[in-house]
Amino acid sequence: MIISASRRTDIPNYYADWFYRRVQEGFCYVRNPMNPHQVSIVRLSLEVVDGIVFWTKNPAPMMERLGELSGYPFYFQFTLTGYGADIESGVPHKREAVLPTFLQLSRQLGSRRVVWRYDPILFTDRYTPDYHRNAFAQIARALRGATDQCVISFVDTYRKNKKQLEQLQTYSLNGAELEAFVQFISETAHKNGMKLTACAEQTDLTAFGIAPSACIDKARLEELGGFRLKIGKDKNQRPECGCVESVDIGVYNTCPNGCRYCYANTNSDVVQQSCRAYDVKSPLLCGTLAKEDRLTERTVRSMREMQTDLQDLLKD
C-alpha cells in the first residue's frame, strides 16, 4: 500500500505532529468523503506501507523529525509557484521562506526525494504568460540540482473553485500562444536539469518534451525502496492521471493555505470550523468519532514483489 499525505490537505505544513504520532502508533482513522459516518482504520506499519507521498507547499514543520520515517520510502510533491498572497494567502513568502525550505529539504534528503510542482498555472491580468515565464525561469534556476523533475498543470474548474476563478477573471491560452508558452517552460526546465511532466492534462504535450506525470510514481518508490511493486493505475483518479493506487489519509476542508484555485476546500468558514476540531491525539484528522460512526478496518497489504522473476534471473 502507498500512502498519499495528502491530495486533500497540507499535512506536512499543518498536521506534522499528528502524522508522526500516527506513525508511532501504527494506524490512523480516515472518513469516507462520500459517506462521512463510514470510518476506516488504516494501518501504517512498515509491514504494509510500501511508500509515502507527501503533498505540500511548506514542509518546514516536518523537517526536524524526518528521521522518524526511517525504513519508509518517501518523497515530497512540493508546490512552489510565483503567486502572491492574493492567490495563496496562507503560504509563506516564496523567496524568503519557501525557496530556502525547498533547498534545505533537498540537501537533507537528496534531489530524488523532492519533486517541484509549478501548478496549477492560471492566467489573469496580473498573472500573464510573461509573468509566469519570468517566475518559472527564476525558480528553475534557483532549484537547479535540487530536484530532477518539475510537474506542471493548468488550472481546472471545479464546483468548489468556480466562483473564485470567476472573481479572478481567469482565461486560457489557445493555439500558437499556448504552444509558445509550453515550449518556453519545457526548454527552461530541461536547461536546468529537470524532466518536465504534466499532471492529468487532456492536451498531449509530448511534442514539447513534456511527458504525462505519475505524481504517485511507482518507479520512483521502487528506486527509493530497492524493491519492485506489483501495483496498478489508480482507477479512482481522472482518466488522464498517471498515478498508481494509493490510500489518501487527508480530509477535505482542513487546509488553511487559502489558495483561491483549490478544489479541496468549500470556503474559509468551513475550513476554520474543521481546524478547530483538530486534536493531535485523535486517530482522526480534525475530528473524533461520533456514536453514529461505523468503524471498520481497511484491508491493506504490501504490494512488494517477493520473488525475482525468471526474466531478471536470465539477465544476471
Side-chain angles (χ1 to χ4, degrees), residues 54-214:
F54 295 105
W55 310 71
T56 187
K57 290 183 170 69
N58 179 28
M62 281 198 76
M63 289 169 59
E64 287 188 5
R65 300 176 60 185
L66 287 173
E68 295 179 33
L69 300 181
S70 176
Y72 293 91
F74 68 91
Y75 65 91
F76 286 81
Q77 292 277 345
F78 191 142
T79 298
L80 173 52
T81 67
Y83 298 122
D86 57 329
I87 302 293
E88 298 174 345
S89 61
V91 180
H93 192 281
K94 305 300 176 56
R95 185 176 290 106
E96 295 176 5
V98 183
L99 180 58
T101 296
F102 193 113
L103 296 173
Q104 181 184 345
L105 184 65
S106 177
R107 287 193 294 268
Q108 196 169 331
L109 298 177
S111 61
R112 285 292 285 165
R113 290 186 185 267
V114 193
V115 176
W116 172 34
R117 300 186 70 88
Y118 189 90
D119 84 314
I121 299 170
L122 59 83
F123 300 106
T124 68
D125 287 345
R126 177 180 179 183
Y127 298 104
T128 63
D130 281 343
Y131 181 100
H132 281 294
R133 288 185 183 97
N134 183 51
F136 186 88
Q138 287 188 45
I139 298 171
R141 287 194 295 269
L143 297 183
R144 182 179 179 87
T147 183
D148 63 1
Q149 182 179 353
C150 175
V151 180
I152 64 166
S153 72
F154 294 95
V155 70
D156 290 313
T157 301
Y158 300 93
R159 177 178 55 84
K160 289 183 178 179
N161 69 3
K162 182 178 180 182
K163 184 177 179 181
Q164 292 277 9
L165 297 181
E166 288 174 348
Q167 291 175 348
L168 290 169
Q169 297 183 327
T170 61
Y171 64 89
S172 301
L173 303 185
N174 295 300
E177 193 173 18
L178 177 62
E179 291 183 4
F181 181 81
V182 297
Q183 184 67 47
F184 175 87
I185 295 293
S186 177
E187 291 175 355
T188 303
H190 294 138
K191 194 182 301 181
N192 286 282
M194 302 170 195
K195 175 185 178 182
L196 188 63
T197 60
C199 178
E201 284 296 316
Q202 294 183 357
T203 303
D204 184 358
L205 301 176
T206 53
F208 303 95
I210 306 174
S213 179

Side-chain angles (χ1 to χ4, degrees), residues 50 227-230 302-309:
D50 301 312
F227 48 68
R228 290 195 174 183
L229 293 171
K230 191 173 184 178
S302 172
M303 305 302 289
R304 302 183 191 189
E305 291 186 311
M306 303 306 293
Q307 295 181 343
T308 305
D309 62 29

